Amino acid sequence: MARIANVVGARPQFIKAGPVSLALERAGIEELLIHTGQHYDPLMSERIMSDIGLREPDVNLGVGSASHGAQTAAMLEGVESVLLANPVDAVLTYGDTNSTVAGALAATKLGITTGHVEAGLRSFNREMPEEINRVVTDHLSDILFAPTRNAMEHLTREGLSNRAILTGDVMVDALRAIDLERVPTPEWANGEFYTATIHRAENTDDDHRLSQIIESLDDVDRPVHLLAHPRLSRRIDEMSLKPKRSLRIHGPLPYTEMLATLSVSSGLITDSGGLQKEAFILAIRCVTIRRETEWPETLEGKWNVLAEPDENLSALMKREVTQERDNPFGKGNAALSIVERLIEKVIKR
Ligand code: UD1
């Protein structure tokens, strides 16, 4: 029987692997689910996995948090030993985290066919650890599953078009699988409010930038509910930042609750990649506190705008948006395209 390994480790990867895991099961292909343990807090890991319907991992390497080099090295060693002990026909990695690059490097060095889901994204900002992870993973991998036409163009420009295939985005598959109206939202999610998330190192680890962001979020004309990643909560404590006006701080929400909350928000303020897209698909205005985005499609019609940390968020949220929108992320059948391509390329039935 054919067997495919899925390497996951951080919150967004559980979401991306969910639809692929299901499509593998439907195709009668065995899955070896390897969790690197990069994320380990229940709200960042188990709760998200069960929420998306991902089964229990076969292996959890328990790597946890460390510097980039130490964390990636521990995952590389761990994934390699799992793959040596458990032969598979191909390895899939997802997105742009340290778990992604470790999985791709371990597999390709063992001569195993490696597929990268969400290939071809570029911010062209090499100060982001994710950008390094994306470029390295794309150049290592044998099959590049690109979510958008822009991603295909980046891969073509880097000489990788012969390995690339346009599949659409697996996050659309995940989103479409949920009946949002049936998902309960937190009791604070009523009336007019904005949802916010901030977790990128470029925003959380720079004292000046972070205090400006917290100040701006606290200065909005309606409540801002910030769902804080553990990295951000720790920084807010360390810097003794105390919101006084519009800002309310909570812990992270499980995936379905997050989407249901977003869908009833008046707008989103974020630096997450996934949420920019989810807001676009749900027709929620988004302000992204970054200098660039890997998802330029979301800027179309001003559904998403990039902003500096000290911008007037209330004014930005009142901008005009176009009502007509394209569907640049696909129709929600990306996982099926991925599995079909794997069957064609590596599973000789
Ligand atoms: C990682 C990804 C990022 C992705 C994000 C999603 C890399 C380089 N970055 O960033 O692309 O958008 O996941 O959330 O891989 N922490 C906890 N509990 C956890 C996990 C992390 O407390 O379960 C804290 C620790 O203090 C840790 C810090 O968050 O040092 C950073 O965690 P890390 O795994 O290095 O990266 P993320 O910021 O989560």
Side-chain angles (χ1 to χ4, degrees):
M1 192 188 187
R3 181 153 69 164
I4 303 285
N6 265 326
V7 180
V8 295
R11 177 170 59 178
Q13 292 169 321
F14 309 133
I15 299 164
K16 291 166 196 170
V20 177
S21 176
L22 186 66
L24 287 171
E25 189 187 326
R26 286 191 178 141
I29 299 170
E30 194 185 331
E31 178 196 20
L32 176 70
L33 184 59
I34 307 174
H35 185 345
T36 63
Q38 176 170 350
H39 284 174
Y40 44 86
D41 282 355
L43 275 173
M44 301 291 288
S45 184
E46 288 99 321
R47 275 299 297 277
I48 307 288
M49 294 179 89
S50 63
D51 214 25
I52 191 84
L54 200 60
R55 58 190 191 79
E56 287 271 301
D58 298 294
V59 187
N60 187 330
L61 300 172
V63 166
S65 304
S67 68
H68 286 270
Q71 188 185 53
T72 310
M75 294 177 193
L76 178 61
E77 194 177 354
V79 174
E80 181 186 62
S81 68
V82 174
L83 293 176
L84 282 171
N86 301 275
V88 295
D89 297 284
V91 172
L92 291 177
T93 66
Y94 296 83
D96 54 18
T97 74
N98 291 344
S99 299
T100 315
V101 74
L105 188 52
T108 46
K109 285 284 187 88
L110 292 172
I112 305 170
T113 302
T114 306
H116 181 207
V117 177
E118 206 181 78
L121 295 199
R122 296 291 181 266
S123 66
F124 302 103
N125 173 359
R126 286 173 64 90
E127 283 175 26
M128 290 177 76
E130 292 84 1
E131 183 73 354
I132 310 289
N133 293 340
R134 288 180 198 121
V135 172
V136 172
T137 305
D138 283 341
H139 284 259
L140 283 172
S141 301
D142 304 292
I143 316 177
L144 302 174
F145 299 109
T148 60
R149 286 206 185 86
N150 269 320
M152 284 295 276
E153 277 168 29
H154 296 148
L155 294 170
T156 303
R157 234 171 282 142
E158 292 176 31
L160 300 173
S161 60
N162 58 342
R163 303 188 220 162
I165 165 180
L166 179 63
T167 57
D169 190 334
V170 284
M171 287 190 76
V172 178
D173 300 30
L175 174 61
R176 296 270 178 251
I178 303 163
D179 183 356
L180 287 178
E181 287 185 3
R182 302 187 62 162
V183 179
T185 49
E187 35 78 24
W188 48 256
N190 54 50
E192 297 264 309
F193 71 95
Y194 296 126
T195 299
T197 77
I198 296 292
H199 77 282
R200 297 275 169 193
E202 68 209 68
N203 284 331
T204 59
D205 296 5
D206 178 327
D207 284 10
H208 181 61
R209 242 182 118 82
L210 181 59
S211 34
Q212 278 189 330
I213 292 172
I214 296 296
E215 187 63 27
S216 303
L217 291 173
D218 203 20
D219 213 11
V220 177
D221 58 2
R222 55 189 71 168
V224 174
H225 292 281
L226 174 64
L227 306 165
H229 180 293
R231 172 208 277 283
L232 175 63
S233 307
R234 201 189 61 224
R235 294 285 295 135
I236 288 176
D237 287 349
E238 273 170 17
M239 290 177 63
S240 306
L241 298 170
K242 300 241 179 325
K244 297 182 193 73
R245 299 174 299 273
S246 50
L247 181 59
R248 283 99 170 119
I249 302 177
H250 314 271
L253 286 179
Y255 173 67
T256 49
E257 227 175 290
M258 179 71 211
L259 286 179
T261 303
L262 176 62
S263 72
V264 295
S265 305
S266 307
L268 170 74
I269 302 146
T270 193
D271 60 6
S272 151
L275 278 165
Q276 290 174 51
K277 270 182 301 180
E278 287 159 344
F280 181 87
I281 295 165
L282 295 171
I284 302 291
R285 281 154 206 254
C286 178
V287 174
T288 299
I289 307 203
R290 281 186 52 197
R291 298 198 176 97
E292 67 281 305
T293 175
E294 298 77 18
W295 302 104
E297 302 83 1
T298 59
L299 302 173
E300 190 193 310
K302 293 214 164 72
W303 283 94
N304 184 18
V305 288
L306 301 176
E308 291 297 325
D310 58 354
E311 271 182 70
N312 179 332
L313 295 171
S314 308
L316 274 182
M317 278 297 181
K318 294 198 175 72
R319 69 192 184 268
E320 290 283 319
V321 294
T322 57
Q323 290 314 312
E324 291 285 305
R325 285 168 322 123
D326 278 348
N327 185 14
F329 305 111
K331 299 195 180 79
N333 52 5
L336 186 62
S337 307
I338 291 167
V339 171
E340 280 172 354
R341 176 52 69 105
L342 283 175
I343 291 172
E344 197 181 301
K345 286 265 181 197
V346 294
I347 302 168
K348 289 153 190 107
R349 287 180 154 168

